Amino acid sequence: MVQPFVRPGTPNLADYRAARRDFTWSQARGWLDGLPGGRGLNLAYEAVDRHAAPLRDKAAIRFVRSDTEISELTYGELAEATSRFANLLAELGVGAGERVCTYLTPRPALYVAALGTMKRGAVYTPLFPAFGPEPVAQRLSLSRARVLVTTAQLYARRIAPLRDRLPELRHVLIADADTAPPGTVALDAALRSARGRYEIPATDPEQPALLHFTSGTTGRPKGAVHVHDAAVAHYASARFALDLRPDDVFWCTADPGWVTGTSYGILAPLMHGVTVVSVAADFEARRWYRILDRMRVTVWYTAPTAIRMLMRYGDELPGDYDLSRLRHAASVGEPLDAAAVRWSTATLRHPFHDTWWQTETGSIMISNFPAVDIRPGSMGLPMPGIEVALLARGPDGRARVTGGAVTPIVEPEVEGEIALRRGWPSMFRDYLDQPERYAGCFADDWYLTGDIARRDADGYYWFAGRADDVIKSAGHLIGPFEVESVLMDHPAVLEAGVIGRPDPVAGERVKAFVTLRPGERPTEPLRQELLAFARLRLGGIAPREIAFEPNLPHTRSGKVLRRLLRARDLGLDAGDLSTLESQP
Ligand code: WT7
């Protein structure tokens, strides 16, 4: 029989009700140091420099490239390397507010660039390394990036061919290379000649620090702007929801090219002074269990898709590994089904604690906490300091706003749009260059999330679905419009409609329906050509499946009705359309 796990020590959040009542953000501000001399608050100072002396020789990040290639950076080394990067930016004339992007798989240069950028007061923007040239070019251009840190290979394959589309991109720094292609600079050599001491300039807590791109249903990707004050929420949520303690070894499996990998793969754990595990290798069940075992991981933050992949490898496999050091396991990014929670409780002796948040919220908003009973399948309870409401919806499926006012639902078990009372420290402060779109996310005093949920009589939130057409595949948010636009660039395609098709492991997979131009024939070779075309341009967000569709359904205003496409694809008739809104 599996022995029940007994949690050692008392969780950081021992009394949820008391914390809900008493916690304030100003109390959490007191848990951080602030810049010396009262010169403000800087994320990188909290994550690195304040630990540089007391934790000088402690491993800050352990990099696992393979079983035999493991390296580490201590807090002392990280402080020095990030100072060199900040000095390099200064030499290059890159100042406060300017965007620095990384387009890298996990490696030391990514962490050094991210934190060095924030030290400088510039704005860090991660780009997902599996993105193809189209999504990367678009984000580099929208952010008007000044600096890009990438590898020689990614540069040659995906950036060099479109560099003339990026006039604002002044400097390309090539990581892990002795020589750099023409028009770029070798990062290592440049860092070696930069100074290893850097005094972080005064930083207003409201100064932008991070720009994270996220996708909507229509239009271009949205650049969510986060400020240095977000540090307060990163720190507090990692303390309450992830239960981080100073001696922890923490593994966040999210790629650092997305918001989870920044908030919880870099910033929050380093602020807590723990040792972070960073894995470059692809998912493989045995490798993952081996990492938990050999790295002696104590707190693990992963995603439902990964958990379902582990489940497929069976219940016996974990028994071959020593997972006894694991103390807390949590999940994020997509619905965590009750079966996955029960599986992990039985086979790993740990229930996964679901957490809910978004790029825009910057940190965990709703969570199952270590000291509170889990309701498998539920996202949990609001974080201390966060006020959550469910808002009554109008016919378009979104919260109904009448005369600027919204209606919070008070009775239990009624679905509504999740809203958060504005004002928490990691709330996004803008969508870059799209102030109307930003303003449109708020009504009354509430930020409207676009997610639909219900609340049970004890206050637990249960995810029901999204109010819009964005696709969630393996935890990644994909905008259908971005995929459709690329397909419509192909000369044979007249129009495209893109949906998420339910998938037992990834949650959803991208599926495209295309209408061909007159004279084009819907042949198998053409289908293969379109798949390859999309793959080449979009990379990891390309459709897995393409179907020819002579008649795409349209709204009266002429937009492709993705909801109806999805209904048809699921074998529902149009009459069932209204029920689709509540499908995860
Ligand atoms: C969307 C946000 C979470 C940060 C990384 C992704 C969905 C997130 C859950 C959950 C069900 C979830 C929502 C949300 N989502 N967590 N625990 N249960 N759905 O951030 O890319 O901005 O995606 O992911 O739909 O709005 P993101």
Side-chain angles (χ1 to χ4, degrees), residues 319-349:
D320 295 347
Y321 301 87
D322 176 5
L323 308 182
S324 63
R325 290 186 177 77
L326 196 60
R327 188 184 80 247
H328 185 65
S331 157
V332 69
E334 20 159 0
L336 179 66
D337 44 291
V341 178
R342 286 195 213 96
W343 172 81
S344 73
T345 311
T347 54
L348 306 176
R349 298 197 309 137

PDB file of all heavy atoms in Angstrom, residues 319-349:
ATOM      1  N   GLY A 319       8.111   4.345  -8.888  1.00  0.00           N
ATOM      2  CA  GLY A 319       8.688   3.497  -7.840  1.00  0.00           C
ATOM      3  C   GLY A 319      10.172   3.224  -8.031  1.00  0.00           C
ATOM      4  O   GLY A 319      10.876   2.852  -7.094  1.00  0.00           O
ATOM      5  N   ASP A 320      10.681   3.412  -9.261  1.00  0.00           N
ATOM      6  CA  ASP A 320      12.109   3.188  -9.519  1.00  0.00           C
ATOM      7  C   ASP A 320      12.969   4.366  -9.061  1.00  0.00           C
ATOM      8  O   ASP A 320      14.191   4.325  -9.184  1.00  0.00           O
ATOM      9  CB  ASP A 320      12.353   2.999 -11.025  1.00  0.00           C
ATOM     10  CG  ASP A 320      11.699   1.741 -11.548  1.00  0.00           C
ATOM     11  OD1 ASP A 320      11.278   0.914 -10.706  1.00  0.00           O
ATOM     12  OD2 ASP A 320      11.599   1.590 -12.777  1.00  0.00           O
ATOM     13  N   TYR A 321      12.338   5.422  -8.588  1.00  0.00           N
ATOM     14  CA  TYR A 321      13.098   6.637  -8.252  1.00  0.00           C
ATOM     15  C   TYR A 321      12.817   7.049  -6.814  1.00  0.00           C
ATOM     16  O   TYR A 321      11.772   6.734  -6.255  1.00  0.00           O
ATOM     17  CB  TYR A 321      12.716   7.772  -9.216  1.00  0.00           C
ATOM     18  CG  TYR A 321      12.998   7.388 -10.643  1.00  0.00           C
ATOM     19  CD1 TYR A 321      12.047   6.696 -11.394  1.00  0.00           C
ATOM     20  CD2 TYR A 321      14.235   7.652 -11.217  1.00  0.00           C
ATOM     21  CE1 TYR A 321      12.316   6.293 -12.690  1.00  0.00           C
ATOM     22  CE2 TYR A 321      14.511   7.257 -12.516  1.00  0.00           C
ATOM     23  CZ  TYR A 321      13.557   6.575 -13.254  1.00  0.00           C
ATOM     24  OH  TYR A 321      13.828   6.181 -14.534  1.00  0.00           O
ATOM     25  N   ASP A 322      13.798   7.754  -6.255  1.00  0.00           N
ATOM     26  CA  ASP A 322      13.641   8.250  -4.884  1.00  0.00           C
ATOM     27  C   ASP A 322      13.035   9.656  -4.944  1.00  0.00           C
ATOM     28  O   ASP A 322      13.729  10.623  -5.252  1.00  0.00           O
ATOM     29  CB  ASP A 322      15.012   8.272  -4.207  1.00  0.00           C
ATOM     30  CG  ASP A 322      14.932   8.862  -2.801  1.00  0.00           C
ATOM     31  OD1 ASP A 322      13.803   9.158  -2.325  1.00  0.00           O
ATOM     32  OD2 ASP A 322      15.998   9.034  -2.174  1.00  0.00           O
ATOM     33  N   LEU A 323      11.748   9.722  -4.654  1.00  0.00           N
ATOM     34  CA  LEU A 323      11.077  11.026  -4.691  1.00  0.00           C
ATOM     35  C   LEU A 323      10.781  11.498  -3.271  1.00  0.00           C
ATOM     36  O   LEU A 323       9.919  12.354  -3.058  1.00  0.00           O
ATOM     37  CB  LEU A 323       9.775  10.934  -5.503  1.00  0.00           C
ATOM     38  CG  LEU A 323       9.870  10.328  -6.904  1.00  0.00           C
ATOM     39  CD1 LEU A 323       8.517  10.360  -7.606  1.00  0.00           C
ATOM     40  CD2 LEU A 323      10.918  11.046  -7.755  1.00  0.00           C
ATOM     41  N   SER A 324      11.520  10.956  -2.324  1.00  0.00           N
ATOM     42  CA  SER A 324      11.161  11.191  -0.921  1.00  0.00           C
ATOM     43  C   SER A 324      11.390  12.637  -0.486  1.00  0.00           C
ATOM     44  O   SER A 324      10.878  13.070   0.526  1.00  0.00           O
ATOM     45  CB  SER A 324      11.958  10.257  -0.017  1.00  0.00           C
ATOM     46  OG  SER A 324      13.334  10.543  -0.145  1.00  0.00           O
ATOM     47  N   ARG A 325      12.178  13.375  -1.262  1.00  0.00           N
ATOM     48  CA  ARG A 325      12.425  14.758  -0.832  1.00  0.00           C
ATOM     49  C   ARG A 325      11.323  15.711  -1.253  1.00  0.00           C
ATOM     50  O   ARG A 325      11.255  16.842  -0.772  1.00  0.00           O
ATOM     51  CB  ARG A 325      13.759  15.233  -1.372  1.00  0.00           C
ATOM     52  CG  ARG A 325      14.884  14.505  -0.660  1.00  0.00           C
ATOM     53  CD  ARG A 325      16.221  15.032  -1.044  1.00  0.00           C
ATOM     54  NE  ARG A 325      17.250  14.350  -0.280  1.00  0.00           N
ATOM     55  CZ  ARG A 325      17.669  13.129  -0.546  1.00  0.00           C
ATOM     56  NH1 ARG A 325      17.134  12.434  -1.532  1.00  0.00           N
ATOM     57  NH2 ARG A 325      18.616  12.572   0.187  1.00  0.00           N
ATOM     58  N   LEU A 326      10.502  15.247  -2.183  1.00  0.00           N
ATOM     59  CA  LEU A 326       9.431  16.119  -2.659  1.00  0.00           C
ATOM     60  C   LEU A 326       8.489  16.472  -1.504  1.00  0.00           C
ATOM     61  O   LEU A 326       8.065  15.601  -0.744  1.00  0.00           O
ATOM     62  CB  LEU A 326       8.650  15.387  -3.758  1.00  0.00           C
ATOM     63  CG  LEU A 326       7.741  16.243  -4.632  1.00  0.00           C
ATOM     64  CD1 LEU A 326       8.531  17.314  -5.357  1.00  0.00           C
ATOM     65  CD2 LEU A 326       7.023  15.338  -5.649  1.00  0.00           C
ATOM     66  N   ARG A 327       8.189  17.757  -1.360  1.00  0.00           N
ATOM     67  CA  ARG A 327       7.303  18.190  -0.285  1.00  0.00           C
ATOM     68  C   ARG A 327       5.999  18.785  -0.817  1.00  0.00           C
ATOM     69  O   ARG A 327       4.961  18.698  -0.187  1.00  0.00           O
ATOM     70  CB  ARG A 327       8.020  19.230   0.583  1.00  0.00           C
ATOM     71  CG  ARG A 327       7.250  19.608   1.851  1.00  0.00           C
ATOM     72  CD  ARG A 327       7.944  20.703   2.648  1.00  0.00           C
ATOM     73  NE  ARG A 327       7.690  22.023   2.069  1.00  0.00           N
ATOM     74  CZ  ARG A 327       8.612  22.782   1.508  1.00  0.00           C
ATOM     75  NH1 ARG A 327       9.872  22.391   1.459  1.00  0.00           N
ATOM     76  NH2 ARG A 327       8.285  23.958   1.001  1.00  0.00           N
ATOM     77  N   HIS A 328       6.087  19.431  -1.991  1.00  0.00           N
ATOM     78  CA  HIS A 328       4.901  20.113  -2.493  1.00  0.00           C
ATOM     79  C   HIS A 328       4.905  20.054  -4.018  1.00  0.00           C
ATOM     80  O   HIS A 328       5.936  20.285  -4.648  1.00  0.00           O
ATOM     81  CB  HIS A 328       4.891  21.569  -2.022  1.00  0.00           C
ATOM     82  CG  HIS A 328       3.641  22.306  -2.387  1.00  0.00           C
ATOM     83  ND1 HIS A 328       2.419  21.973  -1.870  1.00  0.00           N
ATOM     84  CD2 HIS A 328       3.428  23.342  -3.238  1.00  0.00           C
ATOM     85  CE1 HIS A 328       1.494  22.787  -2.378  1.00  0.00           C
ATOM     86  NE2 HIS A 328       2.079  23.617  -3.203  1.00  0.00           N
ATOM     87  N   ALA A 329       3.737  19.754  -4.596  1.00  0.00           N
ATOM     88  CA  ALA A 329       3.624  19.701  -6.053  1.00  0.00           C
ATOM     89  C   ALA A 329       2.441  20.562  -6.477  1.00  0.00           C
ATOM     90  O   ALA A 329       1.364  20.493  -5.876  1.00  0.00           O
ATOM     91  CB  ALA A 329       3.423  18.262  -6.521  1.00  0.00           C
ATOM     92  N   ALA A 330       2.644  21.380  -7.508  1.00  0.00           N
ATOM     93  CA  ALA A 330       1.588  22.284  -7.960  1.00  0.00           C
ATOM     94  C   ALA A 330       1.552  22.308  -9.476  1.00  0.00           C
ATOM     95  O   ALA A 330       2.500  21.884 -10.145  1.00  0.00           O
ATOM     96  CB  ALA A 330       1.825  23.693  -7.408  1.00  0.00           C
ATOM     97  N   SER A 331       0.449  22.812  -9.995  1.00  0.00           N
ATOM     98  CA  SER A 331       0.215  22.766 -11.433  1.00  0.00           C
ATOM     99  C   SER A 331      -0.427  24.071 -11.892  1.00  0.00           C
ATOM    100  O   SER A 331      -1.112  24.730 -11.124  1.00  0.00           O
ATOM    101  CB  SER A 331      -0.713  21.572 -11.699  1.00  0.00           C
ATOM    102  OG  SER A 331      -1.407  21.711 -12.907  1.00  0.00           O
ATOM    103  N   VAL A 332      -0.238  24.404 -13.171  1.00  0.00           N
ATOM    104  CA  VAL A 332      -0.838  25.626 -13.713  1.00  0.00           C
ATOM    105  C   VAL A 332      -0.999  25.560 -15.218  1.00  0.00           C
ATOM    106  O   VAL A 332      -0.329  24.773 -15.874  1.00  0.00           O
ATOM    107  CB  VAL A 332       0.013  26.869 -13.377  1.00  0.00           C
ATOM    108  CG1 VAL A 332       1.345  26.860 -14.123  1.00  0.00           C
ATOM    109  CG2 VAL A 332      -0.744  28.160 -13.709  1.00  0.00           C
ATOM    110  N   GLY A 333      -1.869  26.405 -15.747  1.00  0.00           N
ATOM    111  CA  GLY A 333      -1.880  26.682 -17.176  1.00  0.00           C
ATOM    112  C   GLY A 333      -3.096  26.192 -17.910  1.00  0.00           C
ATOM    113  O   GLY A 333      -3.443  26.711 -18.959  1.00  0.00           O
ATOM    114  N   GLU A 334      -3.759  25.165 -17.401  1.00  0.00           N
ATOM    115  CA  GLU A 334      -4.925  24.586 -18.073  1.00  0.00           C
ATOM    116  C   GLU A 334      -5.656  23.798 -17.006  1.00  0.00           C
ATOM    117  O   GLU A 334      -5.114  23.572 -15.918  1.00  0.00           O
ATOM    118  CB  GLU A 334      -4.499  23.692 -19.244  1.00  0.00           C
ATOM    119  CG  GLU A 334      -3.068  23.237 -19.136  1.00  0.00           C
ATOM    120  CD  GLU A 334      -2.703  22.002 -19.930  1.00  0.00           C
ATOM    121  OE1 GLU A 334      -3.548  21.419 -20.610  1.00  0.00           O
ATOM    122  OE2 GLU A 334      -1.553  21.607 -19.822  1.00  0.00           O
ATOM    123  N   PRO A 335      -6.872  23.364 -17.301  1.00  0.00           N
ATOM    124  CA  PRO A 335      -7.624  22.651 -16.268  1.00  0.00           C
ATOM    125  C   PRO A 335      -6.899  21.386 -15.803  1.00  0.00           C
ATOM    126  O   PRO A 335      -6.397  20.617 -16.616  1.00  0.00           O
ATOM    127  CB  PRO A 335      -8.930  22.283 -16.985  1.00  0.00           C
ATOM    128  CG  PRO A 335      -9.030  23.227 -18.138  1.00  0.00           C
ATOM    129  CD  PRO A 335      -7.639  23.560 -18.540  1.00  0.00           C
ATOM    130  N   LEU A 336      -6.823  21.230 -14.502  1.00  0.00           N
ATOM    131  CA  LEU A 336      -6.222  20.020 -13.922  1.00  0.00           C
ATOM    132  C   LEU A 336      -7.380  19.125 -13.495  1.00  0.00           C
ATOM    133  O   LEU A 336      -8.114  19.444 -12.561  1.00  0.00           O
ATOM    134  CB  LEU A 336      -5.357  20.394 -12.713  1.00  0.00           C
ATOM    135  CG  LEU A 336      -4.695  19.212 -12.011  1.00  0.00           C
ATOM    136  CD1 LEU A 336      -3.660  18.547 -12.913  1.00  0.00           C
ATOM    137  CD2 LEU A 336      -4.022  19.668 -10.714  1.00  0.00           C
ATOM    138  N   ASP A 337      -7.537  18.020 -14.198  1.00  0.00           N
ATOM    139  CA  ASP A 337      -8.701  17.182 -13.923  1.00  0.00           C
ATOM    140  C   ASP A 337      -8.534  16.401 -12.620  1.00  0.00           C
ATOM    141  O   ASP A 337      -7.419  16.110 -12.182  1.00  0.00           O
ATOM    142  CB  ASP A 337      -8.975  16.243 -15.095  1.00  0.00           C
ATOM    143  CG  ASP A 337      -7.716  15.615 -15.632  1.00  0.00           C
ATOM    144  OD1 ASP A 337      -6.898  16.356 -16.222  1.00  0.00           O
ATOM    145  OD2 ASP A 337      -7.516  14.409 -15.427  1.00  0.00           O
ATOM    146  N   ALA A 338      -9.680  16.067 -12.030  1.00  0.00           N
ATOM    147  CA  ALA A 338      -9.678  15.363 -10.750  1.00  0.00           C
ATOM    148  C   ALA A 338      -8.891  14.052 -10.842  1.00  0.00           C
ATOM    149  O   ALA A 338      -8.192  13.666  -9.896  1.00  0.00           O
ATOM    150  CB  ALA A 338     -11.110  15.104 -10.305  1.00  0.00           C
ATOM    151  N   ALA A 339      -8.979  13.390 -12.008  1.00  0.00           N
ATOM    152  CA  ALA A 339      -8.283  12.100 -12.159  1.00  0.00           C
ATOM    153  C   ALA A 339      -6.776  12.272 -12.001  1.00  0.00           C
ATOM    154  O   ALA A 339      -6.105  11.415 -11.407  1.00  0.00           O
ATOM    155  CB  ALA A 339      -8.616  11.494 -13.524  1.00  0.00           C
ATOM    156  N   ALA A 340      -6.246  13.367 -12.515  1.00  0.00           N
ATOM    157  CA  ALA A 340      -4.802  13.599 -12.405  1.00  0.00           C
ATOM    158  C   ALA A 340      -4.403  13.846 -10.945  1.00  0.00           C
ATOM    159  O   ALA A 340      -3.335  13.407 -10.499  1.00  0.00           O
ATOM    160  CB  ALA A 340      -4.393  14.781 -13.276  1.00  0.00           C
ATOM    161  N   VAL A 341      -5.261  14.527 -10.210  1.00  0.00           N
ATOM    162  CA  VAL A 341      -4.961  14.783  -8.786  1.00  0.00           C
ATOM    163  C   VAL A 341      -4.972  13.454  -8.027  1.00  0.00           C
ATOM    164  O   VAL A 341      -4.077  13.162  -7.227  1.00  0.00           O
ATOM    165  CB  VAL A 341      -5.996  15.754  -8.176  1.00  0.00           C
ATOM    166  CG1 VAL A 341      -5.722  15.980  -6.698  1.00  0.00           C
ATOM    167  CG2 VAL A 341      -5.975  17.080  -8.928  1.00  0.00           C
ATOM    168  N   ARG A 342      -5.962  12.624  -8.322  1.00  0.00           N
ATOM    169  CA  ARG A 342      -6.049  11.328  -7.625  1.00  0.00           C
ATOM    170  C   ARG A 342      -4.884  10.431  -8.008  1.00  0.00           C
ATOM    171  O   ARG A 342      -4.307   9.757  -7.172  1.00  0.00           O
ATOM    172  CB  ARG A 342      -7.371  10.634  -7.952  1.00  0.00           C
ATOM    173  CG  ARG A 342      -8.527  11.298  -7.247  1.00  0.00           C
ATOM    174  CD  ARG A 342      -9.778  10.423  -7.260  1.00  0.00           C
ATOM    175  NE  ARG A 342     -10.932  11.287  -7.319  1.00  0.00           N
ATOM    176  CZ  ARG A 342     -11.589  11.621  -8.439  1.00  0.00           C
ATOM    177  NH1 ARG A 342     -11.265  11.108  -9.580  1.00  0.00           N
ATOM    178  NH2 ARG A 342     -12.588  12.452  -8.397  1.00  0.00           N
ATOM    179  N   TRP A 343      -4.508  10.456  -9.275  1.00  0.00           N
ATOM    180  CA  TRP A 343      -3.385   9.626  -9.724  1.00  0.00           C
ATOM    181  C   TRP A 343      -2.111  10.020  -8.965  1.00  0.00           C
ATOM    182  O   TRP A 343      -1.403   9.172  -8.450  1.00  0.00           O
ATOM    183  CB  TRP A 343      -3.173   9.789 -11.238  1.00  0.00           C
ATOM    184  CG  TRP A 343      -1.916   9.110 -11.708  1.00  0.00           C
ATOM    185  CD1 TRP A 343      -1.763   7.779 -11.978  1.00  0.00           C
ATOM    186  CD2 TRP A 343      -0.637   9.713 -11.912  1.00  0.00           C
ATOM    187  NE1 TRP A 343      -0.462   7.516 -12.348  1.00  0.00           N
ATOM    188  CE2 TRP A 343       0.254   8.687 -12.320  1.00  0.00           C
ATOM    189  CE3 TRP A 343      -0.137  11.018 -11.792  1.00  0.00           C
ATOM    190  CZ2 TRP A 343       1.607   8.930 -12.600  1.00  0.00           C
ATOM    191  CZ3 TRP A 343       1.206  11.251 -12.077  1.00  0.00           C
ATOM    192  CH2 TRP A 343       2.057  10.220 -12.473  1.00  0.00           C
ATOM    193  N   SER A 344      -1.844  11.320  -8.914  1.00  0.00           N
ATOM    194  CA  SER A 344      -0.582  11.729  -8.294  1.00  0.00           C
ATOM    195  C   SER A 344      -0.603  11.464  -6.789  1.00  0.00           C
ATOM    196  O   SER A 344       0.418  11.128  -6.196  1.00  0.00           O
ATOM    197  CB  SER A 344      -0.284  13.201  -8.589  1.00  0.00           C
ATOM    198  OG  SER A 344      -1.125  14.055  -7.849  1.00  0.00           O
ATOM    199  N   THR A 345      -1.790  11.566  -6.179  1.00  0.00           N
ATOM    200  CA  THR A 345      -1.868  11.267  -4.747  1.00  0.00           C
ATOM    201  C   THR A 345      -1.530   9.792  -4.514  1.00  0.00           C
ATOM    202  O   THR A 345      -0.791   9.453  -3.584  1.00  0.00           O
ATOM    203  CB  THR A 345      -3.289  11.569  -4.216  1.00  0.00           C
ATOM    204  OG1 THR A 345      -3.680  12.867  -4.655  1.00  0.00           O
ATOM    205  CG2 THR A 345      -3.331  11.519  -2.700  1.00  0.00           C
ATOM    206  N   ALA A 346      -2.032   8.931  -5.385  1.00  0.00           N
ATOM    207  CA  ALA A 346      -1.819   7.492  -5.203  1.00  0.00           C
ATOM    208  C   ALA A 346      -0.402   7.072  -5.585  1.00  0.00           C
ATOM    209  O   ALA A 346       0.226   6.288  -4.869  1.00  0.00           O
ATOM    210  CB  ALA A 346      -2.838   6.720  -6.045  1.00  0.00           C
ATOM    211  N   THR A 347       0.121   7.588  -6.696  1.00  0.00           N
ATOM    212  CA  THR A 347       1.406   7.054  -7.182  1.00  0.00           C
ATOM    213  C   THR A 347       2.612   7.891  -6.767  1.00  0.00           C
ATOM    214  O   THR A 347       3.683   7.354  -6.568  1.00  0.00           O
ATOM    215  CB  THR A 347       1.419   6.938  -8.714  1.00  0.00           C
ATOM    216  OG1 THR A 347       1.083   8.211  -9.234  1.00  0.00           O
ATOM    217  CG2 THR A 347       0.424   5.910  -9.197  1.00  0.00           C
ATOM    218  N   LEU A 348       2.460   9.189  -6.636  1.00  0.00           N
ATOM    219  CA  LEU A 348       3.601  10.028  -6.233  1.00  0.00           C
ATOM    220  C   LEU A 348       3.504  10.406  -4.753  1.00  0.00           C
ATOM    221  O   LEU A 348       4.393  11.050  -4.230  1.00  0.00           O
ATOM    222  CB  LEU A 348       3.658  11.314  -7.079  1.00  0.00           C
ATOM    223  CG  LEU A 348       3.660  11.158  -8.593  1.00  0.00           C
ATOM    224  CD1 LEU A 348       3.619  12.523  -9.272  1.00  0.00           C
ATOM    225  CD2 LEU A 348       4.891  10.382  -9.060  1.00  0.00           C
ATOM    226  N   ARG A 349       2.412  10.024  -4.132  1.00  0.00           N
ATOM    227  CA  ARG A 349       2.114  10.356  -2.736  1.00  0.00           C
ATOM    228  C   ARG A 349       1.945  11.868  -2.537  1.00  0.00           C
ATOM    229  O   ARG A 349       2.050  12.379  -1.426  1.00  0.00           O
ATOM    230  CB  ARG A 349       3.197   9.825  -1.785  1.00  0.00           C
ATOM    231  CG  ARG A 349       3.295   8.298  -1.835  1.00  0.00           C
ATOM    232  CD  ARG A 349       4.030   7.755  -0.642  1.00  0.00           C
ATOM    233  NE  ARG A 349       5.294   8.431  -0.474  1.00  0.00           N
ATOM    234  CZ  ARG A 349       5.783   8.840   0.692  1.00  0.00           C
ATOM    235  NH1 ARG A 349       5.082   8.659   1.793  1.00  0.00           N
ATOM    236  NH2 ARG A 349       6.946   9.416   0.770  1.00  0.00           N
TER     237      ARG A 349
END
